[in-house]
Amino acid sequence: MTTVRREAFGRMPPEEGGGEVEKFVLQSDSVRVEILSFGCIITTLETKDRDGQFSDVVLGFDTLEGYTKKHPFFGAVVGRVANRIANGRFTLDSKEYQLFLNNGPNSLHGGAKGFDKVLWSPQVLPNGVRFFRLSPDGEEGYPGDLKVWVTYTLSGRELAINYQAQTSKTTPISLTNHAYFNLAGQGSRDIYDHEISIEADSYLPVDDTKIPTGEVAAVQGTGFDLRQPVELGKHFQKFHLDGFDHNFCLHQGQDRRLVARVFHPPTGRTMEVHTTQPGIQFYTGNNLDGSLKGKGAATYPKHSAFCLETQNWPDAVNKPHFPSVLLQPGEEYNHTTWLVFNTA
């Protein structure tokens, strides 16, 4: 049985239109999640450890102000296109589009004001909440009026996130949620004692601006082979890694499949990621530097969280041999990711 509660969370600053931001609390016997109508942001996700104790396992802020200021996309839905587009440029039907450059020479997570920085219209469901917005033609440089629905539903130990979209013109689209997890509890020092596995035979090598080179490389015999669980801290040392910020190429198909699993031995918490998406960006919080004051005055140093962002492959709009990122008029974009929390 899931209960859903809505309450006021704050008001947008006047220069942002001053709209009211609501918080939606979804609760089952084993998971409690709080989501904002601003950016569809997951602000809190509490799960049990093996002793039945709840802890909040996602990074974030106590107040709306934290989320309206610059931050690394904590808990937010990012789009129109998640991840990086090289030089913020692409060509469709022989027309070139130029996006805002917000990540060195590239465009990242939708540009200057992506889906993470806007108010969505909420609708309460029996076991969750659905958010809607219309991204107008030309927003952030993207073509087409894009209608977008993001639906969170909680069932027992499983949180499902469904993304749907329809467009009036051909447009690239790739949506994901950018939650930062630490299964020891948010505010814990690092994720080195987490064990992770990712069901991927290949990954995308990147250049020094984090754009895929175009090569689809086998993980076999490299530090990117996570098909068997590895303990992160030891794995970083063994392969002299500074961390991960890479797309892992998943087995293609429209069906739900298990793509990643994280286990935290000290608490017994496990998290499984299931999805219909073709890729998953594994990011280990390499750019966190302890400068942000998070929930309960916690600081978030480097490697204090991980992200498993299910999405299309980065820069796919410029790489014809990558899975297509284009949505045509009359088609529907429809992807789901399921996060399953358990104890072992």
Side-chain angles (χ1 to χ4, degrees), residues 1-4 24-35 44-47 54 125-129 151-161 338-341:
M1 186 57 197
T2 300
T3 60
V4 184
F24 297 83
V25 184
L26 281 46
Q27 189 160 4
S28 71
D29 290 343
S30 39
V31 177
R32 182 174 175 278
V33 59
E34 301 182 0
I35 307 155
T44 302
L45 203 161
E46 295 176 358
T47 74
F54 277 97
L125 305 174
N127 60 341
V129 58
T151 307
Y152 292 91
T153 47
L154 180 62
S155 172
R157 302 172 184 277
E158 180 175 278
L159 177 67
I161 313 173
W338 296 264
L339 304 175
V340 184
F341 299 93

